[in-house]
Amino acid sequence: MIVLKNNEFIERNEATIDMEDRGHQFGDGVYEVVRVYDGEAFLLQDHLDRLQYSLNEVEIDYDVNEQRLSQLLQQLIDKNSIDDGGIYLQITRGVAPRNHPYPEGAQPVLFAYPLQLSRPLKSQAQGITTILQKDFRWLRCDIKSLNLLGNVMTKQKAHNANANEAIFFRNEDHVTEGSSTNVFIVKDGKLYTHPADNLILNGITRRYIFHLANQLNIPYEETVFSLADLKEADEVFITSTSAEVTPVVDIEGQKIANGQPGPISQKLLDGFFEYKNVDQLTNV
């Protein structure tokens, strides 16, 4: 495995982290996961735009364009001969003596490396089971930060329940997102998903679904919906870089519709690659 550290390509066994890296001690950093299909990063510029947003929000002084990060990541893909897989990248505030305030003069540290990812074809064909979890996380879920303990704890709770994912809710009238996904419901042929505010991560695949919906003439609305809306939906599905579009057929033992993936989910899946040659979602 070849790893990208800052602007240098190194071997996996050389990819060491200083014990005083603030990402290690405070989770003081941000990250992205980019899908690679046929040797090319999918929607890379949108991922980099979101990365820059996260960097700006936490005031890490790193400019993805000045650092030529797009070109470096494509080189990383090529050097690792990634055809079908992914890239993980993170940027921390850097190394400094342990102290809570932002240190002056710390240099950001970037790591990026390949991920083994494949399409979740079985889950897409059969649908997945989920649990519900009261959303106890911080109120800046729009920042894709390294602080994922709440998500990890919740994903483990789903795993312990033999479920594939957990769906967060703030209260009975407010479903937010999954522990590592965005959540959509379908009612009477229309898509509904939570608005892109501070309570969810504005998923790149979430936004790609809007692009697909426009191409396929499927109406959609960004709005808050309730647990009752979730359980009474005609269809439920999750989206993420790795999940693409994956139907939900069971929520805590309650079947959604007839317990089978629905036609809208299937239509989106069928069109997922047909319309993926969009250059940048921010221009759609």
Side-chain angles (χ1 to χ4, degrees):
M1 178 189 293
I2 301 298
V3 174
L4 174 64
K5 181 179 182 181
N6 298 326
N7 295 316
E8 183 182 3
F9 295 99
I10 59 177
E11 296 288 340
R12 168 69 176 82
N13 60 4
E14 299 173 341
T16 57
I17 299 174
D18 192 289
M19 69 179 188
E20 288 192 307
D21 189 295
R22 288 177 62 90
H24 176 66
Q25 296 193 334
F26 294 105
D28 188 0
V30 298
Y31 78 102
E32 283 288 330
V33 176
V34 182
R35 193 66 166 84
V36 177
Y37 297 114
D38 299 323
E40 294 186 1
F42 181 48
L43 298 174
L44 177 59
Q45 190 57 52
D46 291 284
H47 280 283
L48 294 181
D49 287 347
R50 185 174 64 179
L51 178 65
Q52 190 66 64
Y53 169 81
S54 296
L55 289 163
N56 294 345
E57 290 299 297
V58 300
E59 300 179 53
I60 292 177
D61 187 16
Y62 186 99
D63 188 302
V64 299
N65 291 324
E66 287 183 3
Q67 297 295 328
R68 301 185 303 108
L69 190 51
S70 176
Q71 295 95 313
L72 289 171
L73 293 178
Q74 187 58 53
Q75 290 179 52
L76 183 65
I77 291 169
D78 296 340
K79 287 177 181 295
N80 285 282
S81 301
I82 305 171
D83 182 54
D84 181 26
I87 290 291
Y88 174 86
L89 64 142
Q90 70 173 40
I91 302 173
T92 71
R93 197 176 303 277
V95 177
R98 192 181 191 282
N99 195 17
H100 282 69
Y102 299 163
E104 293 185 8
Q107 297 298 309
V109 176
L110 174 138
F111 271 103
Y113 58 85
L115 295 175
Q116 291 186 347
L117 294 176
S118 57
R119 299 195 65 201
L121 298 177
K122 183 177 179 181
S123 294
Q124 290 172 337
Q126 299 179 355
I128 62 169
T129 62
T130 62
I131 63 169
L132 298 173
Q133 170 65 51
K134 186 70 177 290
D135 200 341
F136 58 91
R137 303 168 301 162
W138 75 324
L139 297 178
R140 291 304 309 273
C141 298
D142 55 309
I143 300 171
K144 199 169 177 68
S145 83
L146 301 179
N147 296 275
L148 291 174
L149 188 56
N151 303 69
V152 169
M153 292 167 62
T154 301
K155 186 72 83 172
Q156 183 63 36
K157 183 178 179 181
H159 176 76
N160 292 344
N162 294 316
N164 305 96
E165 176 60 303
I167 297 175
F168 284 119
F169 64 97
R170 292 278 167 179
N171 54 54
E172 292 284 328
D173 295 324
H174 194 161
V175 175
T176 51
E177 60 182 350
S179 68
S180 61
T181 59
N182 292 118
V183 177
F184 285 74
I185 64 173
V186 180
K187 193 67 176 180
D188 298 326
K190 186 176 182 179
L191 303 178
Y192 298 89
T193 195
H194 195 284
D197 58 18
N198 63 298
L199 297 180
I200 72 161
L201 180 70
N202 188 5
I204 302 303
T205 306
R206 171 188 182 276
R207 293 167 52 213
Y208 181 61
I209 293 304
F210 298 153
H211 166 66
L212 283 182
N214 287 332
Q215 302 300 316
L216 299 169
N217 296 314
I218 301 172
Y220 63 87
E221 181 179 349
E222 297 178 81
T223 186
V224 172
F225 55 85
S226 68
L227 284 175
D229 295 328
L230 178 71
K231 295 176 181 178
E232 295 168 6
D234 298 331
E235 299 179 46
V236 178
F237 61 87
I238 59 170
T239 63
S240 74
T241 294
S242 57
E244 298 173 348
V245 179
T246 299
V248 173
V249 297
D250 184 294
I251 300 176
E252 297 210 323
Q254 177 179 329
K255 299 298 182 185
I256 300 301
N258 60 357
Q260 299 293 324
I264 299 295
S265 303
Q266 189 59 55
K267 191 173 183 180
L268 291 167
L269 264 174
D270 290 344
F272 196 89
F273 291 99
E274 183 177 354
Y275 297 102
K276 82 177 183 69
N277 291 326
V278 55
D279 292 328
Q280 192 174 358
L281 293 173
T282 51
N283 295 329
V284 173

